[in-house]
Amino acid sequence: MGEAGSSVPRRQLGRLLRQAREEAGINLEAAANDLEWSRAKMYRLESGQTSLRTHDVMLMCQHYGTSAELTEVLVSLARESKSRGWWHAYDDVIPGWFELYVGLEASATRIRHYEPTLIPGLLQTPEYMAAVFQTKPNRSAQEVAQKVALRMERQKLLSRRSPAAPGFHAVIDEAVVRRPIGDIDAWRAQLAHLVNAAQAPNISVRVLPLATGPHRASVAGAFVLLDFPAVGTRPAEPSTVYCESLTGSLYLDRPSEVETYSEVWQTLLDLALSERASEDLISTVIKETYDE
């Protein structure tokens, strides 16, 4: 990667171009011939191994008959793939209806999520989602409803059959399961949903107890580690670390960066309660809400 930063925009661009070509019913060989490129070049572009000029992206979109909206996204990704920075405030260059992270999440075979302040998004109930989205000032009820609908759509990946649902492993601070939302009944339902979701074979929820002192993840904040499958003869895409803030999203996929976060994840597993003990703790918190 050199000094080019994250390869995520380039990889996502390649994935979307491949999808557009397949939806147009054009095979790789035919597309390469029509565009007067070699098959090897098409392969590199679609696997995210090389960047694309915006002119070439527009040419491919025209050939595949993609919509104006998707063309705008693809052109924006082509520009962003040349960015030398690591920090990407994508809202400035890519339409709000398109979320770069969603594509990565849907392609992953394993998702590891550390969350010190909130229930992880893929395990939230609609009521909890709404409470989170309403924290942004001046957000309309319609905007909240749209965001809730998108997150619920994302959650379907945990129960999909084809391709197989990814493994989802969450470590959350005990403070998260003790921090209620305004509607206490909705809060109990959220905690119960957390326990029920963890019964699925591909989902694991572990709690980091309050008694745990400072640790390596204390300064890291929330993060997600995504691992990807090999597809056919293509090697697996690099594992990626995702973090977000109020103004943008950070995507890291350099081996040294992924290794650092993987080590932090292992530290969290060493410190967290077991799955069974975590379930017992959450159940205890639910009972405590009835005693208050």
Side-chain angles (χ1 to χ4, degrees), residues 171 206 208 212 214-217 260-272:
V171 174
R206 296 179 61 181
L208 193 66
T212 303
H215 49 84
R216 285 194 72 188
T260 296
Y261 276 88
S262 295
E263 290 172 354
V264 169
W265 177 259
Q266 187 57 54
T267 297
L268 290 168
L269 293 184
D270 293 341
L271 295 171

Side-chain angles (χ1 to χ4, degrees), residues 225-238:
L225 267 165
L226 301 135
D227 299 311
F228 304 96
V231 179
T233 58
R234 290 193 180 105
E237 292 184 10

Side-chain angles (χ1 to χ4, degrees), residues 33-73:
N33 288 336
D34 293 341
L35 295 166
E36 298 183 350
W37 294 340
S38 69
R39 192 177 189 281
K41 177 178 178 177
M42 285 291 298
Y43 176 87
R44 289 195 302 272
L45 294 175
E46 291 190 355
S47 59
Q49 295 178 26
T50 186
S51 59
L52 265 169
R53 297 180 302 169
T54 55
H55 171 76
D56 289 337
V57 171
M58 294 178 70
L59 185 65
M60 295 171 80
C61 288
Q62 183 178 10
H63 186 60
Y64 300 155
T66 62
S67 67
E69 292 83 1
L70 182 56
T71 298
E72 180 184 358
V73 167

Side-chain angles (χ1 to χ4, degrees), residues 124 128-136 139 144 147-148 151:
Q124 292 175 2
Y128 188 92
M129 296 176 203
V132 172
F133 292 135
Q134 287 165 356
T135 59
K136 184 176 180 179
R139 180 170 273 164
V144 170
K147 287 189 170 293
V148 168
R151 185 158 292 179

Side-chain angles (χ1 to χ4, degrees), residues 36 55 95 109 119 157 160-161 198 218 236 239 251 262 272:
E36 298 183 350
H55 171 76
T109 52
I119 301 294
L157 73 88
R160 73 186 181 195
R161 294 190 177 183
S218 297
S239 295
Y251 296 85
S262 295

